[in-house]
Amino acid sequence: MTPTLRTERLLLEPYVPEDEEGFTALFQDGRVSRWMGDGPAAEAEDRALFGRIFTKVYARKLFDVWAVRRDGLLIGHAEIKPTDVVRGHEIIYALAPSAWGSGLGTEVAEALVTYGFGTLGLTEVHATVAEPNTASLRLLTRIGFEHVRDVTEDDGSTTRVLTRTCMPRGAE
């Protein structure tokens, strides 16, 4: 079962069915969805994705997915999951534009990394970011991720693969 995580200002907790409208609104916002997966999708596809969080991801315990809340309001989405692209666990996060520029992205990313290293026992955590998404690239670099390679997508665009390695205790 996906645990609840807390940061200074945020609560990351499993989605509940009542989150469907907020989830759909987040993923339907083109400023957000342009950086997610294959980009903007139809509303029906985002609603189906939300349903699969319960029927597939949570039901089969495939990986951890969270609703990101601030002051009780759904302001984002977060995941950590194994993916073939990075041959390991990848963090994924998205925040509503109203939450941008206030350090909340850093809090979410750090919470996911801490969970990956501490709870999951990972030695590396990865992120994939579209090359033009300079805000996410800066954020991840600032918190210790390093660019390891590029992936050329079918449409010719570039996705950057970044990795953060867990430092063994006492090796700092």
Side-chain angles (χ1 to χ4, degrees), residues 33 45 115 119 134 157 160 162:
S33 62
E45 291 177 50
Y115 178 77
T119 303
T134 56
S157 65
R160 302 248 168 188
L162 298 97

Side-chain angles (χ1 to χ4, degrees), residues 3-51:
T4 297
L5 308 178
R6 296 178 193 281
T7 71
E8 182 180 332
R9 300 175 287 173
L10 300 173
L11 181 66
L12 283 71
E13 60 185 1
Y15 281 102
V16 294
E18 294 77 21
D19 289 326
E20 182 174 356
E21 294 307 317
F23 175 94
T24 302
L26 178 69
F27 278 70
Q28 283 293 296
D29 188 320
R31 296 168 293 176
V32 175
S33 62
R34 71 183 286 210
W35 305 119
M36 300 293 293
D38 294 326
E43 182 178 335
E45 291 177 50
D46 287 338
R47 289 186 186 281
L49 175 63
F50 183 77

Side-chain angles (χ1 to χ4, degrees), residues 86 124 126-127 146-150 160-164:
V86 297
E124 292 183 325
H126 309 277
E146 295 181 3
H147 174 246
V148 293
R149 66 185 166 94
D150 290 335
R160 302 248 168 188
V161 178
L162 298 97
T163 300
R164 181 164 157 186

Side-chain angles (χ1 to χ4, degrees), residues 82-93:
T83 57
D84 292 336
V85 172
V86 297
R87 294 179 218 79
H89 281 70
E90 175 182 13
I91 64 169
I92 297 168
Y93 57 91

Side-chain angles (χ1 to χ4, degrees), residues 1-3 5 61-66 78-83 88-92 109-126 166 169:
M1 180 67 179
T2 297
L5 308 178
K61 298 180 177 138
L62 297 179
F63 53 90
D64 295 298
V65 179
W66 294 271
E79 314 177 6
I80 186 166
K81 66 181 186 179
T83 57
H89 281 70
E90 175 182 13
I91 64 169
I92 297 168
E110 285 284 21
L112 295 173
V113 169
T114 299
Y115 178 77
F117 291 155
T119 303
L120 299 180
L122 304 175
T123 57
E124 292 183 325
V125 175
H126 309 277
C166 181
R169 288 204 166 122

